[in-house]
Amino acid sequence: MKTIDKPEQIGRRGFLAATAAAPAAASLIVGISADAAWAQEAKNLTPHAMATLVKAARDIFPHDHLADKYYVAACAAYDALAADAGKKAMLMDGVARLDEDAAAKFKAANYLALNWEADRVAILQGIAHTPFFAKLRSDLVVTLYNQKELWPKFGYEGASADKGGYINRGFADIDWLPTT
Amino acid sequence: MAKFDLNDDSVVCIIGSGAGGGTLGNELAQRGIKVVILEAGGRSETQDFFNDEWDSFTQLAWTDMRTTSGSWRVAKDFANLPAWIVKAVGGSTVHWAGASLRFQEHEFKTRTTYGALPGANLHDWPITLAEMEPYYTKAEFKMGVTGTNGIPRLPGNNNYKVLAAGAAKLGYKEFHSGNMAINSQPRDGRGSCQQIGFCFQGCKSGAKWSTLVSEIPKGEATGNMEVRPGSMVHKIEHDASGKVTGVVYMDSKGVTQRQKARVVAVAGNSIESPRLLLNSASSMYPDGLANSSGQVGRNYMRHMTASVYATFEKPVHMYRGTTMAGIVRDEARHDTKRGFVGGYEMETLSLGLPFMAAFLDPGGWGRSFTSAMEDFPHMAGMWLVGEDMARETNRITLDPVAKDKQGLPVASVHFDDHANDIAMRNHGFQQGAAIYESVGATRVFDTTPYPSTHNMGTNRMSEKARDGVVNKYGQTHDIKNLFVSDGSQFTSGAACNPTLTIVSLAIRQAENMAGMMQRKEI
């Protein structure tokens, strides 16, 4: 049966090779942080707000096999959206609410400072009824899963007509069903 | 290609180019009758379609503002998208999956068979299966339905094989790769199915029957039919005698036009058709056209629907190949021992990754949701589609606030499930899960109904004028040269997909309309 990669798994050997090849500058790997280049580039939102939105995006749709860049891409449009004062207020207020709740519930500096996903999810559950959360979730379900680059990571092959469909490419190749 | 004058009052003006309007247009044109089809959407051809769910949605879907109310979950999750239907030449036949099934005999006689169900507004159709059979035969031949006319069925894909293996384990008897209006071999100038898997996005090989690839080009080739895309009809006009005289529409350039007509046929699907009749109210018809019964917009049906998805230890790749070429029919029977009247079909269904994210569990998030998404290639899926009960209170009305670009009230769709719909859905969830669990499903998902793809009943057919909007030919009881030609005519919805019945009714309507015109009755 023709399959394509599900969540890619890097073996120990592959991991060692990859880390050996990478530059030894740990400072390049900043993760989801206001210091990251993509956060610093924000024009209408603060870098802190950008980073918080990206972190929340990962917490709403957590896929451990996806690099941060897909969540950054999913949130990229928010900065431009914040050119509108009303939209900006909604996003900035939403981020402020996440930070306030992190402080109140867990005595953390802010949402980003909470290291356990479960704690951050508890905060998201607390605001799940808000228009801010609804907007985030309903935008992200498109802006994340509609990125063609990540489709192969979910075993989805995308367009097929340009490849002649599946008539000769495994539309009926399932081989594990019980015979009747 | 024909071009008719706006003042040519000898034409039949058809509003909408889908299964009803497109078929009626071609059937009339073949008989030498002049036809103008006004289509609100644009014209995209086979080569223009996208193998991409959101791009295609943007290209084809009817996304003009609508509002919703009622206890159905669509009103919460998709408040402005009650229906997933098409605004384009070819209408929703561009989007449909091709499943072509005949109603069962009792499904034309629901009041007689099911009795007076509390909270439902059941009526028998004024026609029987026996009267419809010759037209079903013509429609199946026209559409090239597999499993009829000696046309072989399509080969089953992976998703079908899972369904079939589970159905066999459970002891179901009637399952196969469907009666599909998709070429399993070259036919009627179109090629055979390439198992592309984007049936909903407009078939890119042309193997799937649609009015876009079949009825409309055939009608145009007669020189008797003109299709005007981008033409949104606001109002149907009438004279002092009450007969309709033509329609007012906004053309593709945004200019208001008036097309005169001898006959007007409304075929805008079950949301827009009643909206147009209601928006055409006048001093003579203060409640809207053809609405002396008060039934215009009422009895809205959308089928008992739901989906069952399941994940397995090993891959399925359900999205490869024909989307809906797989069916289990054993539950389509009427058997009240199951705790409900009517029945339902189980049909293969798959979504691509982007739409699975949007529809698996609308509003869902967190690891329960994302772990399901990560099993996407190991999923199989089926759609449950069954008869829902017509209710007077399930209806299309004019929204008191929201207006469209022309300033006309938009359609508001109210829907509450009948208790029978809920009992049937629960039974379907249980049987769907049993099918998949019998072949090793590790997790099963009960997926809530999508925005409606089957929209029916809002201008229902009735024997008596007081009970409905149109007679057995789709002619309105109130105005003899005004017809309804789409699924809004349905008196009841049956268990199966509606398109074959819409096409059959359009063929029958064309025959009768042509006779009435020849006899100068209209």
Side-chain angles (χ1 to χ4, degrees):
Chain A
M1 177 173 194
K2 180 169 76 75
T3 60
I4 68 167
D5 287 340
K6 271 234 305 169
E8 288 151 276
Q9 287 166 6
I10 300 175
R12 185 167 169 272
R13 184 186 299 237
F15 178 76
L16 291 175
T19 47
S27 64
L28 286 180
I29 305 162
V30 293
I32 297 175
S33 145
D35 297 332
W38 50 262
Q40 291 290 323
E41 283 163 11
K43 291 186 178 64
N44 300 306
L45 292 171
T46 63
H48 173 73
M50 272 314 289
T52 306
L53 290 172
V54 171
K55 193 71 174 177
R58 188 181 262 296
D59 293 334
I60 291 170
F61 294 119
H63 290 291
D64 300 338
H65 69 294
L66 293 186
D68 291 338
K69 65 178 179 179
Y70 298 105
Y71 295 95
V72 172
C75 294
Y78 284 128
D79 189 51
L81 194 72
D84 175 279
K87 301 279 186 352
K88 179 177 177 174
M90 182 204 212
L91 293 167
M92 292 300 291
D93 291 352
V95 168
R97 169 78 188 269
L98 290 175
D99 288 342
E100 285 159 22
D101 289 1
K105 244 184 188 151
F106 299 104
K107 304 197 190 323
N110 53 40
Y111 182 83
L112 284 169
L114 283 172
N115 284 333
W116 280 98
E117 179 187 286
D119 295 346
R120 297 191 304 273
V121 167
I123 287 174
L124 291 174
Q125 277 162 348
I127 65 154
H129 61 284
T130 63
F132 167 71
F133 182 87
K135 172 159 182 59
L136 221 53
R137 199 215 63 84
S138 63
D139 288 345
L140 290 168
V141 81
V142 179
T143 59
L144 180 66
Y145 294 105
N146 204 33
Q147 294 179 46
K148 287 188 173 62
E149 302 71 32
L150 61 71
W151 290 352
K153 295 174 182 294
F154 287 84
Y156 179 50
E157 296 167 87
S160 85
D162 56 332
K163 303 177 189 75
Y166 289 104
I167 195 159
N168 298 313
R169 296 191 312 122
F171 79 98
D173 64 354
I174 196 163
D175 56 8
W176 54 264
L177 285 166
T179 48
T180 46
Chain B
M1 218 174 284
K3 185 142 177 44
F4 297 108
D5 195 90
L6 289 166
N7 291 312
D8 186 342
D9 60 4
S10 69
V11 305
V12 173
C13 180
I14 302 174
I15 301 156
S17 63
T23 302
L24 175 66
N26 180 34
E27 290 285 317
L28 293 174
Q30 299 294 336
R31 289 177 169 82
I33 294 168
K34 292 191 281 184
V35 175
V36 172
I37 297 184
L38 299 175
E39 166 55 53
R43 187 162 185 160
S44 301
E45 301 290 353
T46 296
Q47 67 273 13
D48 304 325
F49 296 139
F50 298 114
N51 265 199
D52 182 298
E53 290 176 315
W54 284 117
D55 286 351
S56 177
F57 187 83
T58 304
Q59 179 182 43
L60 298 173
W62 189 293
T63 53
D64 297 6
M65 167 68 105
R66 286 168 175 157
T67 60
T68 50
S69 61
S71 58
W72 59 327
R73 193 171 144 184
V74 168
K76 171 174 163 276
D77 296 326
F78 303 99
N80 298 120
L81 190 75
W84 179 8
I85 51 181
V86 171
K87 185 178 183 181
V89 173
S92 295
T93 65
V94 175
H95 160 81
W96 82 310
S100 303
L101 302 165
R102 296 183 180 199
F103 277 30
Q104 302 167 77
E105 188 170 12
H106 72 269
E107 290 172 329
F108 286 103
K109 300 177 194 165
T110 54
R111 177 64 181 80
T112 301
T113 312
Y114 304 159
L117 222 57
N121 184 24
L122 303 184
H123 275 287
D124 292 353
W125 288 60
I127 39 179
T128 62
L129 177 61
E131 285 172 82
M132 283 298 288
E133 271 169 348
Y135 300 97
Y136 273 136
T137 301
K138 285 179 186 178
E140 285 162 348
F141 182 78
K142 175 194 280 291
M143 298 159 81
V145 177
T146 60
T148 76
N149 293 287
I151 302 169
R153 291 193 204 275
L154 289 157
N157 68 352
N158 290 336
N159 200 23
Y160 170 68
K161 289 183 174 184
V162 177
L163 180 78
K169 277 244 181 185
L170 254 60
Y172 282 134
K173 301 288 180 236
E174 193 179 356
F175 53 92
H176 48 68
S177 67
N179 296 100
M180 303 295 292
I182 296 178
N183 281 349
S184 57
Q185 55 193 22
R187 185 179 184 278
D188 201 23
R190 294 179 289 114
S192 62
C193 177
Q194 302 300 299
Q195 301 288 335
I196 291 168
F198 286 86
C199 304
F200 291 157
Q201 282 71 32
C203 173
K204 277 196 82 70
S205 79
K208 182 181 83 176
W209 176 90
S210 66
T211 55
L212 177 72
V213 298
S214 180
E215 306 310 301
I216 288 168
K218 286 178 186 177
E220 287 174 328
T222 64
N224 296 321
M225 185 171 113
E226 179 188 355
V227 180
R228 293 182 201 152
S231 303
M232 180 72 194
V233 179
H234 310 167
K235 190 175 169 52
I236 301 167
E237 295 187 317
H238 63 83
D239 62 18
S241 77
K243 273 175 37 179
V244 295
T245 53
V247 308
V248 180
Y249 69 99
M250 183 171 280
D251 71 14
S252 56
K253 296 189 182 73
V255 180
T256 300
Q257 306 286 4
R258 177 175 281 103
Q259 174 65 54
K260 291 189 176 171
R262 178 173 172 185
V263 175
V264 172
V266 183
N269 211 317
S270 293
I271 297 178
E272 288 307 310
S273 288
R275 176 189 176 218
L276 177 60
L277 295 178
L278 295 172
N279 266 333
S280 299
S282 63
S283 53
M284 185 179 235
Y285 300 116
D287 299 324
L289 299 189
N291 198 20
S292 64
S293 64
Q295 293 292 311
V296 169
R298 293 185 185 272
N299 311 302
Y300 171 63
M301 294 172 285
R302 41 123 35 227
H303 271 147
M304 180 295 295
T305 68
S307 304
V308 180
Y309 292 99
T311 57
F312 295 85
E313 190 183 346
K314 292 183 178 165
V316 177
H317 297 286
M318 65 174 170
Y319 56 85
R320 290 182 191 161
T322 324
T323 307
M324 202 171 269
I327 189 166
V328 179
R329 304 211 62 188
D330 297 61
E331 300 289 359
R333 70 192 192 281
H334 168 59
D335 171 8
T336 54
K337 284 202 287 293
R338 295 171 299 177
F340 53 87
V341 301
Y344 62 92
E345 312 277 358
M346 303 159 118
E347 301 173 348
T348 57
L349 184 75
S350 64
L351 299 174
L353 189 84
F355 273 16
M356 186 56 76
F359 295 116
L360 175 67
D361 179 18
W365 61 282
R367 290 210 176 252
S368 167
F369 179 83
T370 54
S371 63
M373 292 302 295
E374 287 174 13
D375 267 333
F376 175 78
H378 291 217
M379 269 187 194
M382 72 170 79
W383 197 42
L384 306 171
V385 51
E387 179 161 20
D388 62 336
M389 298 296 111
R391 315 184 76 179
E392 277 196 297
T393 48
N394 286 343
R395 62 187 292 207
I396 313 303
T397 52
L398 299 177
D399 192 282
V401 179
K403 304 268 196 291
D404 69 8
K405 276 178 250 163
Q406 283 102 58
L408 292 170
V410 306
S412 185
V413 183
H414 180 92
F415 189 86
D416 300 304
D417 279 313
H418 189 276
N420 195 75
D421 308 345
I422 295 168
M424 187 190 290
R425 184 176 296 118
N426 288 338
H427 191 271
F429 278 144
Q430 173 197 308
Q431 294 308 108
I435 283 181
Y436 287 141
E437 283 165 352
S438 77
V439 286
T442 54
R443 191 176 173 191
V444 175
F445 305 89
D446 291 350
T447 289
T448 187
Y450 312 120
S452 316
T453 51
H454 298 173
N455 298 273
M456 302 167 291
T458 51
N459 295 303
R460 74 172 4 175
M461 204 179 259
S462 64
E463 184 73 53
K464 300 192 181 84
R466 64 163 195 254
D467 296 328
V469 180
V470 300
N471 67 15
K472 66 195 292 188
Y473 303 117
Q475 182 180 31
T476 62
H477 289 301
D478 296 354
I479 303 172
K480 63 183 182 177
N481 66 337
L482 176 63
F483 289 72
V484 175
S485 312
D486 56 21
S488 68
Q489 297 172 84
F490 284 22
T491 312
S492 61
C496 65
N497 313 57
T499 300
L500 181 74
T501 301
I502 296 174
V503 172
S504 303
L505 287 171
I507 295 169
R508 183 168 176 274
Q509 181 177 72
E511 191 180 290
N512 286 286
M513 191 189 291
M516 292 180 211
M517 290 174 78
Q518 202 171 19
R519 294 188 300 272
K520 307 261 191 282
E521 292 166 15
I522 54 174

